[in-house]
């Protein structure tokens, strides 16, 4: 019982420390759907692991109805989870979440297989996953990883990285020893910028050729009118 209360207290502290809008523990307990979903999942998970999967799913369903957050009773969640706002968050059955993880609204920890195996992600400690990010499949997200909003991650990510994009790619790595962030080359971004520059150059060239064609057409028209005038006068 004491450990359970300590764990719940840690959930409250997680919200207070990571959300500047949180004013007091009372506000978190009464008005934070992420906190409510986490506590209801404790009940659902206990029922699930004790051989009552249907009751666990019913509690999970109630939690989804009340909070807009869907956590399968089989998911394993560590200490200090903070779900910010949380509407649309989905956590699959075989997902494993470490300690001090932050999930923003719309995050999906989903699966790609219909087999009854480990098919959902494993999330390390101190991970931050941005709004609407999709983490799909039996992959591992290392400790201290930050995943940008809207990213789609389908491959495992090593620790201390920042991931963005669709598909997700590592754009920065934290040097733990020096405490400095190293920005990595972005070949895809560079190629995209090069293609955009080429398209702009082609558009400029086409516009110039069109202007020259119109100018030549106008000159030919004027020359034709000039040539026609003397013949008209002779007639």
């Amino acid at each position: 019982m004491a450990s359970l209360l300590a764990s719940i207290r840690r959930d409250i502290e997680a919200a207070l420390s990571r959300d500047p809008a949180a004013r007091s523990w009372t506000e978190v307990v009464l008005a934070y759907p992420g906190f409510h979903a986490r506590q209801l999942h404790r009940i659902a998970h206990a029922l699930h692991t004790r051989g009552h999967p249907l009751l666990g799913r019913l509690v999970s369903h109630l939690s989804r109805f009340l909070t807009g957050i869907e956590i399968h009773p089989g998911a394993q969640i560590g200490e200090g989870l903070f779900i910010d706002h949380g509407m649309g968050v989905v956590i699959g059955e075989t997902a494993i979440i470490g300690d001090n993880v932050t999930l923003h609204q719309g995050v999906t920890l989903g699966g790609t297989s219909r087999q009854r195996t480990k098919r959902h992600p494993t999330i390390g400690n101190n991970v931050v996953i941005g709004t609407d990010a999709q983490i799909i499949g039996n992959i591992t997200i290392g400790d201290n990883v930050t995943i940008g909003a809207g990213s789609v991650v389908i491959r495992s990510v090593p620790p201390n990285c920042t991931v963005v994009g669709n598909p997700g790619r590592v754009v920065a790595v934290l040097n733990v020893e020096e405490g400095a962030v190293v920005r990595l080359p972005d070949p895809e971004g560079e190629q995209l910028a090069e293609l955009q520059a080429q398209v702009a150059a082609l558009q400029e060239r086409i516009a110039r050729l069109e202007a020259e064609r119109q100018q030549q057409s106008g000159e030919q028209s004027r020359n034709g009118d000039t040539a026609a005038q003397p013949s008209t006068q002779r007639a």
Side-chain angles (χ1 to χ4, degrees):
M1 188 64 176
S3 61
L4 175 61
L5 293 176
S7 183
I8 295 174
R9 187 179 300 111
R10 188 166 176 180
D11 293 337
I12 298 172
E13 292 172 352
L16 291 171
S17 63
R18 293 178 227 165
D19 185 3
R23 297 292 187 269
S24 66
W25 69 268
T26 307
E27 181 181 3
V28 173
V29 171
L30 296 179
Y32 270 58
F35 175 80
H36 301 155
R38 174 67 181 103
Q39 309 320 311
L40 287 170
H41 175 262
R42 293 179 190 276
I43 301 172
H45 185 68
L47 291 169
H48 181 84
T49 55
R50 286 168 172 76
H52 304 288
L54 177 58
L55 292 177
R57 286 304 296 263
L58 290 175
V59 174
S60 174
H61 190 67
L62 174 63
S63 175
R64 178 187 178 187
F65 175 77
L66 295 174
T67 67
I69 299 169
E70 182 174 348
I71 308 176
H72 192 282
Q76 301 177 40
I77 299 177
E79 300 293 330
L81 174 68
F82 174 51
I83 303 177
D84 191 13
H85 295 288
M87 182 63 69
V89 167
V90 177
I91 301 175
E93 177 187 11
T94 61
I96 300 174
I97 300 176
D99 297 337
N100 302 317
V101 171
T102 299
L103 307 179
H104 293 272
Q105 63 267 29
V107 167
T108 298
L109 305 183
T112 57
S113 171
R114 296 183 180 180
Q115 302 298 321
R116 295 183 183 274
T117 59
K118 179 74 167 69
R119 60 191 185 278
H120 296 92
T122 296
I123 310 298
N125 301 323
N126 308 311
V127 173
V128 177
I129 304 179
T131 301
D132 291 328
Q134 313 294 301
I135 319 300
I136 307 298
N138 182 20
I139 61 177
T140 299
I141 307 300
D143 296 344
N144 309 310
V145 167
T146 298
I147 297 175
S151 299
V152 179
V153 184
I154 57 176
R155 295 183 178 87
S156 295
V157 178
N160 308 312
C161 292
T162 299
V163 177
V164 299
N166 179 8
R169 60 188 185 278
V170 176
V171 297
V173 177
L174 173 65
N175 188 323
V176 179
E177 295 180 356
E178 298 180 1
V181 175
V182 180
R183 300 290 177 183
L184 300 180
D186 185 5
E188 293 182 3
E190 293 172 359
Q191 289 178 356
L192 180 60
E194 183 178 351
L195 288 173
Q196 289 174 336
Q198 291 177 357
V199 170
L202 288 172
Q203 289 176 335
E204 182 180 354
R205 182 179 179 183
I206 291 171
R208 185 171 64 252
L209 291 173
E210 286 289 335
E212 292 176 357
R213 186 182 65 81
Q214 290 178 1
Q215 183 179 1
Q216 292 175 356
S217 177
E219 291 177 353
Q220 291 175 356
S221 177
R222 287 194 298 270
N223 292 337
D225 292 342
T226 303
Q229 287 177 359
S231 62
T232 303
Q233 291 174 355
R234 285 195 299 271

